[in-house]
Amino acid sequence: MLRQITRATGGAPKVLQQLQKSSAAVTGTQKSNNYATEATVQVQRPFKLHRLDQGPETNVKLTKEDALKYYTQMQTIRRLETSAGNLYKEKIIRGFCHLYSGQEACAVGMKAAMRDVDNIISAYRVHGWTYLMGVPPLGVLAELTGRQSGCAKGKGGSMHMYSPNFYGGNGIVGAQVPLGAGVAFACKYKGNGGMCLALYGDGAANQGQVFEAYNMAYLWKLPVIFVCENNNYGMGTSAERASCNTDYYTRGDVLPGIWVDGMDVLAVRSATEFAIDYVNKNGPIVLETNTYRYSGHSMSDPGTSYRTREEIQEVRQKRDPITSFKELCIELGLLTADEIKAIDTKVRKEVDAATAQAKADAELPLSGLWTDVYSQCLEPKIRNCVEYNIKHVQQNKGVNH
């Protein structure tokens, strides 16, 4: 059996041409009760390679179980971000808030390839990653609102979320990249077979510390995947105006690189699987996921002064990662319209309930300022710039929200 799935594209601005929907040849579908249980999809939008003789597998397998999982995860991230945006507009979330809407396939695809020994560190657009790394919606939304049910007890907020194997969102542009190299060094030092995904955006790609991390990782053959999530726009300007070379996968110099369609969850999964195998055998690699964000850089940025509303709407209609994956799964017979509807309803109810609970939750008392300063406190008291009389209290040890 062979079916061809295509989408018309028409003329489009450069950024849209980069993001046009690929066709996928679908073969080898196994069926049970008139519905598919597994399919092989040939991703037609080719990977671009730098200093590599061969790249990721283009024939990717998708099971019904994985289809349910990936769709649920992407839809949950989208709902979380919608809720976060609303809470910010209500002034319940204060400070900064950077949304991931439109980029869901990047995180879900990478997470699908990760193993238990693997790690991830990123910038501040990480609400979705926090959820994928084990924190339930309440832990994310309560952290955003500064409440004690948050994954960091409300102390971290939007930019500083953590969970096991997740070294958090980082507020300093590009600072997470050398930290990610350090996490990879720890994996090599321990000999546990793990690696680290170090994520940064196209806006951070010109930071000097990024290239220093490339260099050190290459010299020490560290198991690190440097991932540039290229959403085509930095803080207020396009990649073309900010970078002399927008082929970010080639910017590691002697480091090999891969370009992947960041709106295709299966392509991202395949590229990440290849990269994990590569870095554990050879050392660092650069992975560019070409994607798109629907919101501005942050909630304080309307995102329409440097791009048109029509461009955003066209990407939503033709390249949305969730809609595209849903249509593919229905076409393959892996998911039914009723199953999709049931997932949508369940996710909406879960996120709505978490939102209400986060809004009603209490903030930490003042004494929470000096709890959990260290994961392992070797001294009974915390050093203070004035005196040395604050007892260290561990409230959150072993707790995984």
Side-chain angles (χ1 to χ4, degrees), residues 125-144:
R125 208 178 299 278
V126 289
H127 313 151
W129 265 110
T130 308
Y131 153 72
L132 290 177
M133 294 303 291
V135 176
L138 174 60
V140 175
L141 294 171
E143 188 60 37
L144 287 169

Side-chain angles (χ1 to χ4, degrees), residues 169-185:
N170 291 263
I172 304 301
V173 176
Q176 72 278 8
V177 181
L179 293 178
V183 174
F185 180 83

Side-chain angles (χ1 to χ4, degrees), residues 47-112:
F47 299 105
K48 299 177 187 177
L49 307 179
H50 171 67
R51 291 185 176 268
L52 287 170
D53 294 327
Q54 64 181 57
E57 180 59 60
T58 56
N59 290 307
V60 296
K61 185 178 293 183
L62 179 63
T63 65
K64 181 180 180 67
E65 180 182 3
D66 285 341
L68 287 166
K69 181 180 180 180
Y70 303 159
Y71 181 77
T72 301
Q73 288 176 331
M74 288 194 289
Q75 191 66 280
T76 301
I77 294 173
R78 181 68 59 86
R79 280 279 173 184
L80 278 171
E81 297 296 52
T82 299
S83 178
N86 291 334
L87 288 168
Y88 188 93
K89 292 171 184 175
E90 295 175 42
K91 297 185 178 180
I92 297 174
I93 293 176
R94 307 305 292 263
F96 295 97
C97 185
H98 305 81
L99 303 184
Y100 203 67
S101 300
Q103 300 184 212
E104 294 87 355
C106 296
V108 173
M110 282 184 263
K111 180 62 174 69

Side-chain angles (χ1 to χ4, degrees), residues 80 83 136-139 141-142 349-359:
L80 278 171
S83 178
L138 174 60
L141 294 171
K349 289 181 177 179
E350 182 180 12
V351 174
D352 286 351
T355 302
Q357 194 171 345
K359 292 168 74 171

